[in-house]
Every structure is written in C-alpha cells, then in structure tokens.
Amino acid sequence: MKSILLIGLGRFGKSIAEHLNRLGHQVMAVDKNEDRVDAALDIVTSAQIGDSTNMEFLESLGIRNFDVCFVAIGNDFQSSLETTSLLKELGASLVVSRAERDVQEKFLLRNGADKVVYPEKQVAKWAAMRYSADHILDYIELDDSNAVFEVTVPRSWVGMSVGQIDIRKRYNINIMAVKKNGQMNLSVTSDTVLHEDETLLVLGDYKTLQKCFHI
C-alpha cells in the first residue's frame, strides 16, 4: 500500500482515484472545486479544497510523506506546470503529471515531472490499434520498442504446440499466456497446444509483433 497525493479531480483524476481505491492505496485528493472534492469523498482516504499553485498550501500537505504525487489537472496547463514545479521543489519523490499535447510533455519534464501521462494520445493509439484489425483484442505499449498484444490464434497455428511453432526462436516473441473463456493460463510450455477458440498474450519488439501477426 502506498501513500498517494492526487491533485485534480476532473474526469481523469477521479478515474485514477477510483482505481487507486480498488487497489487499496491511501489517497489524499486535492481540488479547488468544492463540488469535485465532495463527489470524491467516498473513494479517497482524505480530501482538501485548495489551490495547488499556492506554495504554503502544498507545504501544509507534507509532500515528502507521499510515495507518488499525481498532477491530473486538465484545461489549465499553467496551473499544472506550476504545481508540478512546486511539488518537486518541496521534495516530492515521484511526480507524475498529465499532458494533453506533446509540447506540454516537454515543459512538464523540464519543470520537475518524473513521468508524464498522455491519456488522450495513449487511448487514441490503443483504439486505432484495437479496432483496425479483427484479430487484435488488446494492446499495451511497454516502451518505445516493446509491447504486449492479445491476439487470436493464427489459423496456421491451430492444433500445433508452442514447441512446434517455435515462435521464440523464429520471431523472438514470447507467449506469456493463453486465454480461453476469460480464464488465463500462465503455465505455457512447449507442449501447450493452441486452439481456435483461444487468444494469446504475446510480448516482443513492436515491429516484430507487427510483422508476425500482420498488424
């Protein structure tokens, strides 16, 4: 369990709060809008109404006590930038800030953000990948080079074992799991036989995955 400061309770910030709550983390939420704070009281450990661009207010929160500080402010980049900078100045160990455009990401990183999340861009990329090919069911980008795809079993692989396909040697791709009826089998061996009604979670270099699965 981690202690987390979440600044900004718009749609994105509230969604983060909901997920953190399910994961059992302690969340202190902050927003200058009283209605937003009131709406989040059931899903956070504590909440305060305040201006995150105010140094004294931020300092009163005890920034060094938080494992992670999320800056989820939307539609006010100046406030997001100032908050990010102040958090780092006050000794925040990890600051994760939201960007809406590429140029914002650059400014946030230069002004104290350790990591930048770009929800609109990330969701757009996921949607384009997911719905442009019938055999791609999910997609997670790990970094600029590697990704995890959930794909249907290619027709030519149906009835064959993982060892017979030899995907790791031929393509340098790892089959992490086999999924059927919502149940995931992580114990994949060379003897595991693939079936038409299954999907695969595969990990590898993005370009190699594209080539192997015709993405």
Side-chain angles (χ1 to χ4, degrees):
M1 180 177 68
K2 290 189 174 184
S3 179
I4 295 171
L5 175 63
L6 173 62
I7 299 176
L9 286 168
R11 285 180 295 179
F12 179 61
K14 191 175 181 182
S15 292
I16 292 178
E18 289 171 346
H19 287 291
L20 290 172
N21 179 52
R22 291 184 195 130
L23 291 169
H25 296 295
Q26 290 187 330
V27 181
M28 158 72 81
V30 171
D31 199 290
K32 60 185 178 181
N33 184 303
E34 184 177 355
D35 291 337
R36 288 180 176 178
V37 171
D38 289 341
L41 290 175
D42 292 339
I43 56 172
V44 296
T45 310
S46 58
Q48 287 199 33
I49 303 166
D51 181 3
S52 62
T53 64
N54 183 297
M55 170 73 88
E56 293 182 0
F57 171 71
L58 276 187
E59 196 168 15
S60 71
L61 300 177
I63 299 304
R64 293 179 183 273
N65 297 322
F66 295 102
D67 298 302
V68 185
C69 295
F70 282 103
V71 182
I73 299 171
N75 302 321
D76 187 350
F77 181 64
Q78 184 64 33
S79 292
S80 178
L81 191 64
E82 288 181 27
T83 299
T84 297
S85 181
L86 287 174
L87 285 171
K88 211 60 187 177
E89 188 176 334
L90 290 170
S93 57
L94 177 62
V95 179
V96 182
S97 300
R98 174 189 180 179
E100 295 180 341
R101 296 193 296 274
D102 290 337
V103 67
Q104 291 183 357
E105 180 178 9
K106 293 177 182 178
F107 276 112
L108 287 166
L109 289 171
R110 289 174 184 171
N111 285 271
D114 297 292
K115 300 288 183 181
V116 173
V117 292
Y118 200 152
E120 288 83 0
K121 183 178 181 179
Q122 290 159 348
V123 170
K125 191 171 184 178
W126 177 88
M129 189 70 66
R130 167 65 179 87
Y131 295 107
S132 63
D134 294 335
H135 61 297
I136 305 298
L137 303 181
D138 206 350
Y139 158 71
I140 302 172
E141 187 175 275
L142 302 179
D143 55 31
D144 292 338
S145 302
N146 299 286
V148 175
F149 282 88
E150 181 180 353
V151 298
T152 57
V153 177
R155 288 185 180 180
S156 59
W157 293 7
V158 174
M160 297 178 67
S161 69
V162 172
Q164 288 174 313
I165 299 168
D166 202 11
I167 185 174
R168 189 170 186 176
K169 185 175 181 180
R170 292 175 60 189
Y171 300 103
N172 197 28
I173 291 172
N174 292 308
I175 298 178
M176 301 171 60
V178 176
K179 191 175 177 182
K180 182 177 181 179
N181 298 326
Q183 299 298 314
M184 198 171 296
N185 175 21
L186 298 171
S187 303
V188 179
T189 69
S190 60
D191 296 324
T192 300
V193 177
L194 305 180
H195 302 93
E196 188 176 3
D197 57 350
E198 297 173 331
T199 60
L200 308 175
L201 264 68
V202 292
L203 166 67
D205 175 84
Y206 181 72
K207 291 182 179 179
T208 304
L209 288 166
Q210 281 186 305
K211 183 178 180 180
C212 181
F213 295 101
H214 308 291
I215 300 168

